[in-house]
Amino acid sequence: MKKKIAVIGCGFSGLSAAAYAAKEGNEVHVFEKHDQPGGRARQFTTKNGYVFDMGPSWYWMPDIIENFFADFGFHSSDFYELISLNPQFEMIFSDAKIAVPENYEELKKTVESIETGAALQLDRFMKSAKYKYQVGMQEFVNKPCYSWLEFASPKIATSALKLDLLTNFRKYVSKYFKNRKLRALMEFPVIFLGASPKNIPALYSLMNYGGYVLGTKYPTGGFYSLVLAMKKVAEKQGVQFHFNHSVEKIHIENDRAVSLLINGKLLEFDSIIASSDYHHTESLLDTKYKNYDDDYWKNKTFAPSSLIFYLGINERIPNLTHHTLFFENDLDEHIDCIYGEKKWPEKPLFYACCPSKTDAGTAPENCENLFLLMPVATGIHDDESVREHYLKEMLERIKKHTGIKNLYEKIEYKKSYCVSDFTADYNAYGGNAYGLANTLNQTAVLKPKIRNKKVQNLFYTGQLTVPGPGVPPAIISGKIAANEVNKLKI
């Protein structure tokens, strides 16, 4: 018997869950508080012609994204073109820079020029990373994670040691590379998994393979093109979208979710998938039906929040690539401000994305679209004066790197986004930007459960449950949740 299913939230996990649930013939309705799909990956256009992706900008693990389209008989190329970036990105240090080339053989030459023997070590590192990627992204991440017994397959069992779950990422990288710049290059991808490389399992070297070897892409029209493509796929399965619809309450009867209060109206459903922030979703339940109390969330390690600036620059910026990482300062000092002292960093690292270098449609002619992101601690105070202080520091470092003068004066559009905005717009716990950190004690079965333990037809999906933060994991999370709902009997 087909079900009437509600999906709360229209980010990547919600879009994925809706599409997979509807594919089985269910009637699926998606409710989104904003006026457009995408969640953190929304997009906005300014009156003077700038087009800004609000969130994700790294198109990594393209095969995982392609798998989503393939499950519905499509290809990503049916919706947008993927441009391979060359260089993939630049990493700026106080005394040098590393440009990561599109071609892996060229990357080997680059690392060898920095450290003798590093090319061979990179091959060894990536061979192991490829194995982790194949096992991790095909076997490990597709489990609902109710029990460790799900991982008792012969393939996972024989792969246990090779997955390096018990080795920390920093120690693992140091076995291969001695040069501090190469270590930073290898450690960078795990920063947004939500913890220091000292606390992230070496399993996540799979991200280095998913990025550096498979390549860094850019979808024409911006990351929002992926959002719109997934929405079209969902609509072709019959999914109905309802924007400007806020879910205010989940009603339970006889241990089943029976209805949602949405914009003051009560609507009945057979099952519910919540792609909204996990903690917020549980605030919509009576206390006795929550999976976790407030103490549980207080004791969790969250990935960072972010200070973001969307800037329209009325002049071209020389010597700046599509993706640039500014790592002139010490990584551990910045990380300690996020996870240790929980304060604003004195010597921050940051990331600059300039999509107008690749896509002329993101900025007016002879102008630049500049997106700046600095990872910060969750829960900190973020008034306008603090934001402005860091904007000027970041622009000063861009000016030093590019040689452009008076960059601040060339801003013709400016919008900032930080902790309080993540809380207001996404009900994000502590204003987090990326969900829970992928530390060892917050991995797989140890993450918040994808199913409510007391309400049999309520499921959760997204970056606060399995498999974790990031766009490809969010898409997988939606598929897992939908599969579990599809198994349910009414």
Side-chain angles (χ1 to χ4, degrees):
M1 185 176 177
K2 302 307 180 184
K3 311 176 189 73
K4 185 178 180 183
I5 300 170
V7 177
I8 306 173
C10 198
F12 285 115
S13 63
L15 287 165
S16 174
Y20 283 108
K23 185 183 178 185
E24 298 302 309
N26 297 306
E27 180 185 339
V28 180
H29 296 262
V30 178
F31 298 96
E32 167 58 50
K33 66 179 283 190
H34 295 109
D35 62 0
Q36 64 180 122
R40 286 165 168 80
R42 290 179 296 151
Q43 188 180 80
F44 70 94
T45 301
T46 70
K47 291 179 180 178
N48 50 352
Y50 292 95
V51 181
F52 291 100
D53 282 328
M54 293 189 68
S57 57
W58 291 82
Y59 198 104
W60 275 5
M61 303 185 185
D63 56 323
I64 304 300
I65 297 173
E66 204 62 53
N67 287 344
F68 168 82
F69 292 111
D71 283 343
F72 299 92
F74 296 103
H75 301 280
S76 62
S77 58
D78 295 326
F79 305 98
Y80 52 82
E81 177 190 354
L82 280 179
I83 299 171
S84 184
L85 299 182
N86 189 28
Q88 297 188 42
F89 62 91
E90 281 191 341
M91 198 169 212
I92 310 302
F93 298 96
S94 58
D95 57 350
K97 70 176 183 179
I98 298 176
V100 176
E102 173 186 29
N103 181 274
Y104 178 69
E105 290 303 315
E106 291 298 317
L107 176 58
K108 286 169 61 177
K109 293 177 184 177
T110 299
V111 301
E112 185 68 23
S113 70
I114 297 170
E115 179 180 314
T116 302
L120 178 60
Q121 291 295 78
L122 184 67
D123 267 342
R124 290 171 174 166
F125 182 94
M126 289 302 180
K127 181 180 179 181
S128 177
K130 180 179 180 180
Y131 182 85
K132 294 184 180 79
Y133 188 85
Q134 290 173 335
V135 174
M137 298 309 293
Q138 293 176 19
E139 300 275 336
F140 202 77
V141 301
N142 290 299
K143 310 291 185 184
C145 294
Y146 298 129
S147 163
W148 288 114
L149 293 176
E150 295 169 30
F151 300 91
S153 73
K155 186 171 183 179
I156 292 179
T158 56
S159 303
L161 289 177
K162 292 183 180 179
L163 291 176
D164 289 305
L165 278 165
L166 300 179
T167 304
N168 78 64
F169 196 81
R170 172 155 293 169
K171 184 177 180 181
Y172 183 76
V173 168
S174 70
K175 291 195 307 182
Y176 292 89
F177 306 101
K178 304 304 177 189
N179 182 277
R180 66 176 181 85
K181 296 183 181 69
L182 292 185
R183 289 185 183 183
L185 180 66
M186 292 299 116
E187 289 181 354
F188 145 67
V190 306
I191 292 173
F192 294 102
L193 291 176
S196 165
K198 293 183 288 187
N199 298 320
I200 293 284
L203 164 70
Y204 291 104
S205 64
L206 63 86
M207 291 187 65
N208 298 86
Y209 177 80
Y212 299 179
V213 178
L214 297 184
T216 303
K217 315 295 182 184
Y218 174 80
T220 52
F223 223 97
Y224 196 60
S225 295
L226 174 57
V227 172
L228 296 179
M230 291 181 67
K231 179 174 179 282
K232 286 180 182 176
V233 169
E235 286 174 330
K236 287 180 182 293
Q237 312 311 306
V239 176
Q240 298 177 54
F241 289 89
H242 309 272
F243 298 106
N244 298 307
H245 279 65
S246 295
V247 177
E248 298 156 352
K249 183 73 176 176
I250 302 173
H251 288 285
I252 311 297
E253 291 180 9
N254 299 320
D255 297 330
R256 290 183 66 88
V258 294
S259 62
L260 296 176
L261 184 65
I262 305 172
N263 288 2
K265 295 177 64 176
L266 208 59
L267 300 177
E268 295 183 350
F269 295 95
D270 298 313
S271 294
I272 295 166
I273 302 174
S275 172
S276 45
D277 176 272
Y278 202 123
H279 175 268
H280 170 71
T281 301
E282 298 231 296
S283 76
L284 306 177
L285 294 165
D286 290 338
T287 302
K288 64 180 179 179
Y289 294 116
K290 293 182 180 181
N291 269 354
Y292 308 104
D293 60 19
D294 285 343
D295 287 339
Y296 172 88
W297 295 107
K298 287 176 184 175
N299 290 320
K300 287 293 165 187
T301 302
F302 279 82
S305 186
S306 295
L307 169 61
I308 299 171
F309 276 93
Y310 310 98
L311 304 175
I313 308 295
N314 65 8
E315 187 177 303
R316 301 292 284 180
I317 303 174
N319 307 314
L320 191 67
T321 58
H322 189 118
H323 296 300
T324 310
L325 301 162
F326 287 83
F327 270 54
E328 307 99 320
N329 297 323
D330 185 78
L331 172 61
D332 286 340
E333 281 187 27
H334 190 141
I335 286 174
D336 186 60
C337 291
I338 296 173
Y339 302 109
E341 300 182 63
K342 283 192 171 289
K343 66 176 187 178
W344 285 93
E346 294 179 16
K347 298 178 179 180
L349 285 64
F350 72 97
Y351 156 61
C353 179
C354 192
S356 48
K357 296 294 183 185
T358 305
D359 187 349
T362 62
E365 189 175 0
N366 296 320
C367 297
E368 298 281 28
N369 176 316
L370 188 59
F371 169 100
L372 304 180
L373 184 149
M374 188 179 88
V376 299
T378 57
I380 57 175
H381 182 62
D382 63 343
D383 64 37
E384 203 58 42
S385 63
V386 173
R387 299 184 188 194
E388 193 72 7
H389 165 78
Y390 284 99
L391 170 62
K392 290 178 178 178
E393 174 167 345
M394 289 188 281
L395 291 178
E396 187 64 30
R397 286 158 65 181
I398 292 173
K399 184 179 80 172
K400 182 179 179 182
H401 168 61
T402 63
I404 191 170
K405 297 179 180 179
N406 304 317
L407 186 53
Y408 188 86
E409 286 73 25
K410 293 169 182 174
I411 297 172
E412 64 176 2
Y413 179 82
K414 178 176 68 173
K415 175 182 173 68
S416 65
Y417 204 92
C418 200
V419 178
S420 57
D421 300 298
F422 281 102
T423 302
D425 282 355
Y426 309 120
N427 301 300
Y429 186 87
N432 80 84
Y434 304 100
L436 282 181
N438 269 344
T439 56
L440 185 58
N441 62 357
Q442 292 181 172
T443 294
V445 173
L446 303 177
K447 286 187 182 291
K449 296 301 182 188
I450 205 162
R451 184 174 185 173
N452 190 289
K453 304 169 189 175
K454 303 159 189 173
V455 182
Q456 56 186 294
N457 61 339
L458 172 59
F459 294 81
Y460 308 87
T461 185
Q463 58 186 13
L464 289 175
T465 182
V466 295
V471 174
I475 293 172
I476 292 170
S477 182
K479 182 177 182 179
I480 294 170
N483 287 344
E484 294 304 298
V485 169
N486 289 337
K487 292 177 189 174
L488 276 183
K489 295 182 179 179
I490 300 177

